[in-house]
Amino acid sequence: MGARILVVDDDAALAEMVGIVLDAEGFEVSYCADGDGAFAAFSENDPDLVLLDVMLTGIGGIDVCTQIRG
């Protein structure tokens, strides 16, 4: 399977649509629907790329990015 991508977005329909396209291109896709669980999802899935919504429920996307980069 291809690279692992974590999609973090609180809009389920948008996340699913992005995931369908990525899956069709051979990527292994995992999802997280809120900022509160994003760092845990990152740690569990060890993705090669994170597609991160900036305006999330709970912890915002910028804060999640800061956690991940730390």
Side-chain angles (χ1 to χ4, degrees):
M1 182 138 275
R4 293 177 306 276
I5 298 177
L6 173 61
V7 177
V8 182
D9 199 320
D10 53 0
D11 183 339
L14 179 61
E16 182 181 3
M17 190 169 36
V18 169
I20 289 169
V21 173
L22 292 171
D23 187 58
E25 292 296 322
F27 294 103
E28 183 180 332
V29 183
S30 54
Y31 302 92
C32 181
D34 60 34
D36 295 328
F39 186 72
F42 176 80
S43 298
E44 290 172 16
N45 294 295
D46 190 32
D48 298 300
L49 175 72
V50 178
L51 293 178
L52 180 62
D53 183 6
V54 175
M55 297 184 67
L56 294 168
T57 55
I59 300 172
I62 299 296
D63 294 328
V64 170
C65 184
T66 302
Q67 287 180 340
I68 289 172
R69 291 182 54 114

Short mmCIF file of all heavy atoms in Angstrom, two decimals:
data_model
loop_
_atom_site.label_atom_id
_atom_site.label_comp_id
_atom_site.label_asym_id
_atom_site.label_seq_id
_atom_site.Cartn_x
_atom_site.Cartn_y
_atom_site.Cartn_z
N MET A 1 0.85 -1.18 0.00
CA MET A 1 0.00 0.00 0.00
C MET A 1 0.89 1.24 0.00
O MET A 1 2.04 1.19 0.39
CB MET A 1 -0.92 -0.04 1.22
CG MET A 1 -1.86 1.14 1.26
SD MET A 1 -3.55 0.83 1.73
CE MET A 1 -4.41 0.34 0.31
N GLY A 2 0.32 2.36 -0.40
CA GLY A 2 1.07 3.61 -0.52
C GLY A 2 1.27 4.30 0.81
O GLY A 2 1.09 3.73 1.88
N ALA A 3 1.65 5.54 0.73
CA ALA A 3 1.91 6.35 1.91
C ALA A 3 0.65 6.48 2.75
O ALA A 3 -0.47 6.42 2.25
CB ALA A 3 2.41 7.73 1.49
N ARG A 4 0.85 6.69 4.06
CA ARG A 4 -0.26 6.85 4.99
C ARG A 4 -0.58 8.33 5.15
O ARG A 4 0.31 9.15 5.40
CB ARG A 4 0.11 6.25 6.35
CG ARG A 4 0.27 4.74 6.30
CD ARG A 4 0.71 4.18 7.64
NE ARG A 4 1.91 4.83 8.16
CZ ARG A 4 3.15 4.51 7.84
NH1 ARG A 4 3.38 3.53 6.98
NH2 ARG A 4 4.19 5.14 8.37
N ILE A 5 -1.88 8.67 5.04
CA ILE A 5 -2.33 10.06 5.17
C ILE A 5 -3.41 10.12 6.24
O ILE A 5 -4.36 9.34 6.22
CB ILE A 5 -2.86 10.61 3.84
CG1 ILE A 5 -1.74 10.60 2.78
CG2 ILE A 5 -3.43 12.02 4.02
CD1 ILE A 5 -2.17 11.06 1.41
N LEU A 6 -3.25 11.06 7.16
CA LEU A 6 -4.25 11.32 8.18
C LEU A 6 -5.04 12.56 7.78
O LEU A 6 -4.46 13.63 7.58
CB LEU A 6 -3.58 11.55 9.54
CG LEU A 6 -4.49 12.00 10.70
CD1 LEU A 6 -5.57 10.96 10.99
CD2 LEU A 6 -3.66 12.29 11.94
N VAL A 7 -6.36 12.42 7.64
CA VAL A 7 -7.24 13.53 7.31
C VAL A 7 -7.93 13.96 8.59
O VAL A 7 -8.66 13.18 9.21
CB VAL A 7 -8.29 13.12 6.24
CG1 VAL A 7 -9.23 14.28 5.96
CG2 VAL A 7 -7.61 12.65 4.97
N VAL A 8 -7.67 15.20 9.01
CA VAL A 8 -8.28 15.75 10.23
C VAL A 8 -9.23 16.87 9.80
O VAL A 8 -8.79 17.94 9.40
CB VAL A 8 -7.21 16.29 11.21
CG1 VAL A 8 -7.88 16.80 12.48
CG2 VAL A 8 -6.16 15.23 11.52
N ASP A 9 -10.53 16.59 9.89
CA ASP A 9 -11.54 17.57 9.49
C ASP A 9 -12.84 17.27 10.22
O ASP A 9 -13.23 16.10 10.30
CB ASP A 9 -11.76 17.53 7.98
CG ASP A 9 -12.41 18.78 7.46
OD1 ASP A 9 -13.32 19.31 8.12
OD2 ASP A 9 -12.00 19.24 6.38
N ASP A 10 -13.50 18.30 10.73
CA ASP A 10 -14.77 18.10 11.43
C ASP A 10 -15.96 18.06 10.48
O ASP A 10 -17.08 17.81 10.91
CB ASP A 10 -14.98 19.14 12.53
CG ASP A 10 -14.84 20.57 12.04
OD1 ASP A 10 -14.57 20.77 10.84
OD2 ASP A 10 -14.97 21.48 12.86
N ASP A 11 -15.74 18.25 9.20
CA ASP A 11 -16.79 18.10 8.19
C ASP A 11 -16.67 16.69 7.63
O ASP A 11 -15.83 16.41 6.77
CB ASP A 11 -16.61 19.15 7.09
CG ASP A 11 -17.69 19.11 6.03
OD1 ASP A 11 -18.35 18.06 5.88
OD2 ASP A 11 -17.85 20.13 5.34
N ALA A 12 -17.52 15.79 8.12
CA ALA A 12 -17.43 14.37 7.76
C ALA A 12 -17.56 14.13 6.25
O ALA A 12 -16.85 13.29 5.69
CB ALA A 12 -18.48 13.57 8.52
N ALA A 13 -18.45 14.85 5.61
CA ALA A 13 -18.66 14.66 4.17
C ALA A 13 -17.42 15.06 3.38
O ALA A 13 -17.01 14.35 2.45
CB ALA A 13 -19.88 15.46 3.69
N LEU A 14 -16.82 16.16 3.75
CA LEU A 14 -15.61 16.61 3.07
C LEU A 14 -14.45 15.65 3.31
O LEU A 14 -13.73 15.28 2.38
CB LEU A 14 -15.23 18.01 3.54
CG LEU A 14 -13.97 18.61 2.93
CD1 LEU A 14 -14.10 18.74 1.42
CD2 LEU A 14 -13.66 19.95 3.56
N ALA A 15 -14.29 15.21 4.55
CA ALA A 15 -13.22 14.26 4.87
C ALA A 15 -13.39 12.96 4.09
O ALA A 15 -12.42 12.40 3.56
CB ALA A 15 -13.20 13.99 6.37
N GLU A 16 -14.63 12.48 4.00
CA GLU A 16 -14.89 11.25 3.26
C GLU A 16 -14.58 11.42 1.78
O GLU A 16 -13.99 10.54 1.15
CB GLU A 16 -16.34 10.83 3.44
CG GLU A 16 -16.67 9.54 2.73
CD GLU A 16 -18.13 9.11 2.89
OE1 GLU A 16 -18.91 9.85 3.52
OE2 GLU A 16 -18.47 8.05 2.36
N MET A 17 -14.97 12.56 1.21
CA MET A 17 -14.72 12.82 -0.21
C MET A 17 -13.22 12.86 -0.50
O MET A 17 -12.73 12.25 -1.46
CB MET A 17 -15.38 14.13 -0.63
CG MET A 17 -15.38 14.37 -2.11
SD MET A 17 -16.43 15.76 -2.65
CE MET A 17 -16.26 16.95 -1.37
N VAL A 18 -12.47 13.55 0.36
CA VAL A 18 -11.01 13.60 0.20
C VAL A 18 -10.43 12.20 0.33
O VAL A 18 -9.57 11.79 -0.45
CB VAL A 18 -10.39 14.56 1.24
CG1 VAL A 18 -8.88 14.43 1.28
CG2 VAL A 18 -10.79 16.00 0.94
N GLY A 19 -10.93 11.45 1.31
CA GLY A 19 -10.45 10.09 1.53
C GLY A 19 -10.70 9.17 0.35
O GLY A 19 -9.86 8.33 0.01
N ILE A 20 -11.84 9.30 -0.28
CA ILE A 20 -12.16 8.47 -1.45
C ILE A 20 -11.16 8.72 -2.57
O ILE A 20 -10.67 7.78 -3.20
CB ILE A 20 -13.61 8.74 -1.92
CG1 ILE A 20 -14.60 8.17 -0.91
CG2 ILE A 20 -13.85 8.18 -3.32
CD1 ILE A 20 -16.04 8.60 -1.14
N VAL A 21 -10.86 9.99 -2.82
CA VAL A 21 -9.90 10.33 -3.87
C VAL A 21 -8.51 9.80 -3.52
O VAL A 21 -7.83 9.21 -4.36
CB VAL A 21 -9.87 11.86 -4.10
CG1 VAL A 21 -8.76 12.24 -5.05
CG2 VAL A 21 -11.22 12.35 -4.62
N LEU A 22 -8.10 9.99 -2.27
CA LEU A 22 -6.77 9.52 -1.86
C LEU A 22 -6.67 8.00 -1.92
O LEU A 22 -5.66 7.45 -2.37
CB LEU A 22 -6.46 10.01 -0.44
CG LEU A 22 -6.26 11.51 -0.28
CD1 LEU A 22 -6.17 11.88 1.18
CD2 LEU A 22 -5.03 11.97 -1.04
N ASP A 23 -7.73 7.32 -1.48
CA ASP A 23 -7.76 5.85 -1.54
C ASP A 23 -7.65 5.36 -2.98
O ASP A 23 -6.94 4.40 -3.27
CB ASP A 23 -9.03 5.34 -0.87
CG ASP A 23 -9.05 3.83 -0.75
OD1 ASP A 23 -8.12 3.28 -0.13
OD2 ASP A 23 -9.99 3.21 -1.29
N ALA A 24 -8.35 6.02 -3.88
CA ALA A 24 -8.31 5.64 -5.29
C ALA A 24 -6.91 5.81 -5.88
O ALA A 24 -6.54 5.12 -6.83
CB ALA A 24 -9.32 6.47 -6.09
N GLU A 25 -6.13 6.72 -5.30
CA GLU A 25 -4.76 6.94 -5.76
C GLU A 25 -3.75 6.02 -5.07
O GLU A 25 -2.55 6.13 -5.30
CB GLU A 25 -4.36 8.40 -5.55
CG GLU A 25 -5.12 9.37 -6.44
CD GLU A 25 -4.85 9.16 -7.92
OE1 GLU A 25 -3.70 8.86 -8.30
OE2 GLU A 25 -5.82 9.27 -8.72
N GLY A 26 -4.25 5.14 -4.19
CA GLY A 26 -3.39 4.15 -3.57
C GLY A 26 -2.85 4.51 -2.19
O GLY A 26 -1.98 3.82 -1.67
N PHE A 27 -3.37 5.57 -1.60
CA PHE A 27 -2.91 5.97 -0.27
C PHE A 27 -3.72 5.24 0.80
O PHE A 27 -4.89 4.90 0.59
CB PHE A 27 -3.06 7.48 -0.07
CG PHE A 27 -2.18 8.28 -0.96
CD1 PHE A 27 -2.69 8.91 -2.09
CD2 PHE A 27 -0.83 8.42 -0.69
CE1 PHE A 27 -1.88 9.65 -2.92
CE2 PHE A 27 -0.01 9.15 -1.52
CZ PHE A 27 -0.52 9.77 -2.64
N GLU A 28 -3.11 5.01 1.95
CA GLU A 28 -3.78 4.44 3.11
C GLU A 28 -4.28 5.62 3.95
O GLU A 28 -3.48 6.38 4.48
CB GLU A 28 -2.80 3.59 3.89
CG GLU A 28 -3.39 2.89 5.07
CD GLU A 28 -2.36 2.05 5.79
OE1 GLU A 28 -1.38 1.60 5.16
OE2 GLU A 28 -2.53 1.88 7.01
N VAL A 29 -5.59 5.76 4.07
CA VAL A 29 -6.19 6.94 4.69
C VAL A 29 -6.77 6.60 6.05
O VAL A 29 -7.45 5.60 6.21
CB VAL A 29 -7.30 7.54 3.80
CG1 VAL A 29 -7.87 8.80 4.40
CG2 VAL A 29 -6.79 7.81 2.39
N SER A 30 -6.50 7.46 7.04
CA SER A 30 -7.16 7.38 8.33
C SER A 30 -7.77 8.75 8.62
O SER A 30 -7.38 9.75 8.02
CB SER A 30 -6.19 6.95 9.42
OG SER A 30 -5.06 7.78 9.46
N TYR A 31 -8.72 8.78 9.54
CA TYR A 31 -9.50 9.98 9.78
C TYR A 31 -9.54 10.35 11.25
O TYR A 31 -9.48 9.48 12.12
CB TYR A 31 -10.95 9.78 9.32
CG TYR A 31 -11.09 9.41 7.87
CD1 TYR A 31 -11.14 8.08 7.49
CD2 TYR A 31 -11.19 10.38 6.90
CE1 TYR A 31 -11.27 7.73 6.16
CE2 TYR A 31 -11.32 10.05 5.57
CZ TYR A 31 -11.36 8.72 5.20
OH TYR A 31 -11.49 8.37 3.89
N CYS A 32 -9.70 11.63 11.51
CA CYS A 32 -9.99 12.15 12.84
C CYS A 32 -10.93 13.33 12.65
O CYS A 32 -10.73 14.15 11.76
CB CYS A 32 -8.71 12.58 13.54
SG CYS A 32 -9.01 13.20 15.20
N ALA A 33 -11.97 13.42 13.51
CA ALA A 33 -13.01 14.42 13.30
C ALA A 33 -12.89 15.65 14.19
O ALA A 33 -13.70 16.56 14.08
CB ALA A 33 -14.38 13.78 13.51
N ASP A 34 -11.91 15.70 15.09
CA ASP A 34 -11.79 16.88 15.96
C ASP A 34 -10.35 17.10 16.39
O ASP A 34 -9.51 16.21 16.30
CB ASP A 34 -12.70 16.78 17.18
CG ASP A 34 -12.41 15.58 18.05
OD1 ASP A 34 -11.24 15.16 18.16
OD2 ASP A 34 -13.35 15.05 18.64
N GLY A 35 -10.10 18.31 16.83
CA GLY A 35 -8.75 18.66 17.25
C GLY A 35 -8.32 17.93 18.50
O GLY A 35 -7.13 17.65 18.69
N ASP A 36 -9.28 17.62 19.38
CA ASP A 36 -8.94 16.95 20.64
C ASP A 36 -8.31 15.57 20.42
O ASP A 36 -7.43 15.17 21.17
CB ASP A 36 -10.18 16.81 21.52
CG ASP A 36 -10.72 18.16 21.97
OD1 ASP A 36 -9.91 19.10 22.16
OD2 ASP A 36 -11.95 18.29 22.14
N GLY A 37 -8.74 14.85 19.41
CA GLY A 37 -8.22 13.51 19.16
C GLY A 37 -7.14 13.45 18.09
O GLY A 37 -6.61 12.38 17.79
N ALA A 38 -6.80 14.60 17.50
CA ALA A 38 -5.89 14.60 16.35
C ALA A 38 -4.48 14.14 16.72
O ALA A 38 -3.87 13.38 15.97
CB ALA A 38 -5.84 15.99 15.72
N PHE A 39 -3.96 14.59 17.86
CA PHE A 39 -2.60 14.19 18.22
C PHE A 39 -2.54 12.69 18.51
O PHE A 39 -1.59 12.01 18.11
CB PHE A 39 -2.07 14.99 19.41
CG PHE A 39 -0.63 14.71 19.71
CD1 PHE A 39 0.37 15.18 18.87
CD2 PHE A 39 -0.26 13.94 20.80
CE1 PHE A 39 1.71 14.90 19.11
CE2 PHE A 39 1.07 13.66 21.06
CZ PHE A 39 2.05 14.15 20.22
N ALA A 40 -3.57 12.16 19.18
CA ALA A 40 -3.62 10.72 19.45
C ALA A 40 -3.71 9.94 18.14
O ALA A 40 -3.03 8.91 17.97
CB ALA A 40 -4.81 10.39 20.34
N ALA A 41 -4.53 10.41 17.19
CA ALA A 41 -4.64 9.75 15.88
C ALA A 41 -3.31 9.80 15.15
O ALA A 41 -2.92 8.83 14.49
CB ALA A 41 -5.74 10.42 15.05
N PHE A 42 -2.60 10.92 15.27
CA PHE A 42 -1.27 11.04 14.66
C PHE A 42 -0.32 10.01 15.26
O PHE A 42 0.40 9.32 14.55
CB PHE A 42 -0.73 12.45 14.86
CG PHE A 42 0.67 12.64 14.35
CD1 PHE A 42 0.92 12.83 13.00
CD2 PHE A 42 1.74 12.61 15.23
CE1 PHE A 42 2.21 12.99 12.53
CE2 PHE A 42 3.03 12.77 14.77
CZ PHE A 42 3.27 12.96 13.42
N SER A 43 -0.32 9.90 16.58
CA SER A 43 0.57 8.96 17.26
C SER A 43 0.24 7.51 16.92
O SER A 43 1.15 6.69 16.75
CB SER A 43 0.49 9.16 18.78
OG SER A 43 0.90 10.46 19.12
N GLU A 44 -1.05 7.19 16.83
CA GLU A 44 -1.47 5.82 16.54
C GLU A 44 -1.20 5.40 15.11
O GLU A 44 -0.84 4.25 14.84
CB GLU A 44 -2.97 5.67 16.81
CG GLU A 44 -3.35 5.73 18.26
CD GLU A 44 -4.86 5.78 18.46
OE1 GLU A 44 -5.61 5.46 17.51
OE2 GLU A 44 -5.29 6.15 19.57
N ASN A 45 -1.38 6.31 14.16
CA ASN A 45 -1.32 5.96 12.74
C ASN A 45 0.04 6.21 12.10
O ASN A 45 0.30 5.71 11.01
CB ASN A 45 -2.40 6.73 11.97
CG ASN A 45 -3.78 6.31 12.38
OD1 ASN A 45 -4.18 5.17 12.16
ND2 ASN A 45 -4.53 7.20 13.00
N ASP A 46 0.89 7.02 12.72
CA ASP A 46 2.21 7.34 12.19
C ASP A 46 2.15 7.69 10.69
O ASP A 46 2.78 7.05 9.86
CB ASP A 46 3.17 6.17 12.43
CG ASP A 46 4.61 6.54 12.12
OD1 ASP A 46 4.99 7.72 12.32
OD2 ASP A 46 5.35 5.65 11.66
N PRO A 47 1.36 8.73 10.35
CA PRO A 47 1.17 9.05 8.93
C PRO A 47 2.40 9.72 8.31
O PRO A 47 3.22 10.31 9.00
CB PRO A 47 0.00 10.04 8.96
CG PRO A 47 0.13 10.71 10.28
CD PRO A 47 0.64 9.66 11.22
N ASP A 48 2.48 9.61 6.99
CA ASP A 48 3.52 10.30 6.23
C ASP A 48 3.11 11.74 5.94
O ASP A 48 3.96 12.60 5.71
CB ASP A 48 3.76 9.57 4.90
CG ASP A 48 4.24 8.15 5.13
OD1 ASP A 48 5.31 8.00 5.76
OD2 ASP A 48 3.55 7.21 4.71
N LEU A 49 1.80 12.01 5.95
CA LEU A 49 1.26 13.33 5.66
C LEU A 49 -0.01 13.53 6.48
O LEU A 49 -0.78 12.59 6.67
CB LEU A 49 0.92 13.44 4.17
CG LEU A 49 0.25 14.72 3.69
CD1 LEU A 49 1.25 15.89 3.71
CD2 LEU A 49 -0.31 14.54 2.30
N VAL A 50 -0.22 14.76 6.96
CA VAL A 50 -1.45 15.11 7.67
C VAL A 50 -2.14 16.23 6.90
O VAL A 50 -1.53 17.28 6.66
CB VAL A 50 -1.15 15.58 9.12
CG1 VAL A 50 -2.45 15.97 9.82
CG2 VAL A 50 -0.42 14.50 9.90
N LEU A 51 -3.39 16.00 6.51
CA LEU A 51 -4.22 17.05 5.92
C LEU A 51 -5.07 17.58 7.07
O LEU A 51 -5.95 16.88 7.57
CB LEU A 51 -5.10 16.50 4.81
CG LEU A 51 -4.37 16.02 3.57
CD1 LEU A 51 -5.36 15.45 2.56
CD2 LEU A 51 -3.56 17.14 2.95
N LEU A 52 -4.77 18.80 7.49
CA LEU A 52 -5.30 19.33 8.74
C LEU A 52 -6.15 20.58 8.51
O LEU A 52 -5.65 21.58 7.98
CB LEU A 52 -4.12 19.65 9.66
CG LEU A 52 -4.36 20.22 11.02
CD1 LEU A 52 -5.18 19.26 11.88
CD2 LEU A 52 -3.03 20.52 11.70
N ASP A 53 -7.41 20.50 8.91
CA ASP A 53 -8.30 21.67 8.87
C ASP A 53 -7.84 22.64 9.95
O ASP A 53 -7.53 22.24 11.07
CB ASP A 53 -9.73 21.21 9.13
CG ASP A 53 -10.76 22.32 9.02
OD1 ASP A 53 -10.39 23.45 8.63
OD2 ASP A 53 -11.93 22.06 9.34
N VAL A 54 -7.79 23.92 9.65
CA VAL A 54 -7.35 24.92 10.62
C VAL A 54 -8.43 25.20 11.66
O VAL A 54 -8.14 25.35 12.84
CB VAL A 54 -6.92 26.22 9.91
CG1 VAL A 54 -6.56 27.29 10.90
CG2 VAL A 54 -5.73 25.95 9.00
N MET A 55 -9.67 25.25 11.23
CA MET A 55 -10.77 25.58 12.14
C MET A 55 -11.49 24.30 12.57
O MET A 55 -12.48 23.90 11.95
CB MET A 55 -11.73 26.56 11.47
CG MET A 55 -11.08 27.88 11.15
SD MET A 55 -12.21 29.08 10.47
CE MET A 55 -13.26 29.38 11.87
N LEU A 56 -11.00 23.68 13.62
CA LEU A 56 -11.56 22.43 14.13
C LEU A 56 -12.34 22.69 15.41
O LEU A 56 -12.12 23.68 16.09
CB LEU A 56 -10.44 21.44 14.46
CG LEU A 56 -9.62 20.91 13.30
CD1 LEU A 56 -8.40 20.18 13.81
CD2 LEU A 56 -10.48 19.96 12.47
N THR A 57 -13.21 21.74 15.75
CA THR A 57 -13.84 21.78 17.06
C THR A 57 -12.83 21.30 18.09
O THR A 57 -11.97 20.48 17.81
CB THR A 57 -15.09 20.88 17.10
OG1 THR A 57 -14.73 19.56 16.72
CG2 THR A 57 -16.17 21.38 16.17
N GLY A 58 -12.93 21.83 19.29
CA GLY A 58 -11.95 21.49 20.32
C GLY A 58 -10.68 22.28 20.08
O GLY A 58 -10.71 23.49 19.88
N ILE A 59 -9.57 21.61 20.09
CA ILE A 59 -8.28 22.26 19.84
C ILE A 59 -8.21 22.66 18.37
O ILE A 59 -8.53 21.86 17.49
CB ILE A 59 -7.11 21.31 20.19
CG1 ILE A 59 -7.17 20.91 21.65
CG2 ILE A 59 -5.77 21.96 19.87
CD1 ILE A 59 -6.18 19.84 22.04
N GLY A 60 -7.79 23.88 18.07
CA GLY A 60 -7.69 24.36 16.69
C GLY A 60 -6.56 23.69 15.92
O GLY A 60 -5.63 23.12 16.50
N GLY A 61 -6.64 23.77 14.62
CA GLY A 61 -5.66 23.12 13.75
C GLY A 61 -4.24 23.64 13.93
O GLY A 61 -3.28 22.87 13.85
N ILE A 62 -4.08 24.94 14.21
CA ILE A 62 -2.74 25.49 14.42
C ILE A 62 -2.12 24.88 15.67
O ILE A 62 -0.94 24.52 15.68
CB ILE A 62 -2.80 27.03 14.53
CG1 ILE A 62 -3.36 27.65 13.25
CG2 ILE A 62 -1.43 27.60 14.88
CD1 ILE A 62 -2.52 27.44 12.01
N ASP A 63 -2.93 24.74 16.73
CA ASP A 63 -2.43 24.13 17.96
C ASP A 63 -2.09 22.65 17.77
O ASP A 63 -1.10 22.15 18.30
CB ASP A 63 -3.43 24.30 19.10
CG ASP A 63 -3.60 25.75 19.50
OD1 ASP A 63 -2.62 26.53 19.41
OD2 ASP A 63 -4.71 26.12 19.91
N VAL A 64 -2.90 21.96 16.99
CA VAL A 64 -2.62 20.56 16.69
C VAL A 64 -1.29 20.45 15.92
O VAL A 64 -0.45 19.62 16.21
CB VAL A 64 -3.76 19.91 15.87
CG1 VAL A 64 -3.36 18.53 15.35
CG2 VAL A 64 -5.03 19.84 16.69
N CYS A 65 -1.10 21.33 14.94
CA CYS A 65 0.13 21.34 14.17
C CYS A 65 1.34 21.58 15.07
O CYS A 65 2.36 20.92 14.94
CB CYS A 65 0.05 22.40 13.08
SG CYS A 65 1.47 22.43 11.98
N THR A 66 1.19 22.50 16.01
CA THR A 66 2.27 22.78 16.96
C THR A 66 2.61 21.55 17.79
O THR A 66 3.78 21.23 18.01
CB THR A 66 1.88 23.96 17.89
OG1 THR A 66 1.62 25.10 17.06
CG2 THR A 66 2.98 24.28 18.87
N GLN A 67 1.57 20.82 18.25
CA GLN A 67 1.79 19.58 19.02
C GLN A 67 2.52 18.54 18.19
O GLN A 67 3.44 17.90 18.66
CB GLN A 67 0.46 19.01 19.49
CG GLN A 67 -0.20 19.74 20.61
CD GLN A 67 -1.51 19.09 21.00
OE1 GLN A 67 -2.11 18.32 20.23
NE2 GLN A 67 -1.99 19.39 22.20
N ILE A 68 2.08 18.38 16.95
CA ILE A 68 2.68 17.36 16.08
C ILE A 68 4.14 17.70 15.79
O ILE A 68 5.00 16.83 15.85
CB ILE A 68 1.88 17.24 14.77
CG1 ILE A 68 0.53 16.56 15.04
CG2 ILE A 68 2.67 16.46 13.72
CD1 ILE A 68 -0.41 16.56 13.86
N ARG A 69 4.40 18.95 15.51
CA ARG A 69 5.78 19.37 15.19
C ARG A 69 6.69 19.28 16.41
O ARG A 69 7.89 19.16 16.26
CB ARG A 69 5.79 20.76 14.61
CG ARG A 69 5.16 20.81 13.22
CD ARG A 69 5.24 22.19 12.65
NE ARG A 69 6.60 22.67 12.68
CZ ARG A 69 7.33 22.93 11.62
NH1 ARG A 69 6.81 22.76 10.44
NH2 ARG A 69 8.57 23.37 11.73
N GLY A 70 6.10 19.36 17.62
CA GLY A 70 6.90 19.31 18.86
C GLY A 70 7.35 17.93 19.09
O GLY A 70 8.34 17.45 19.38
#
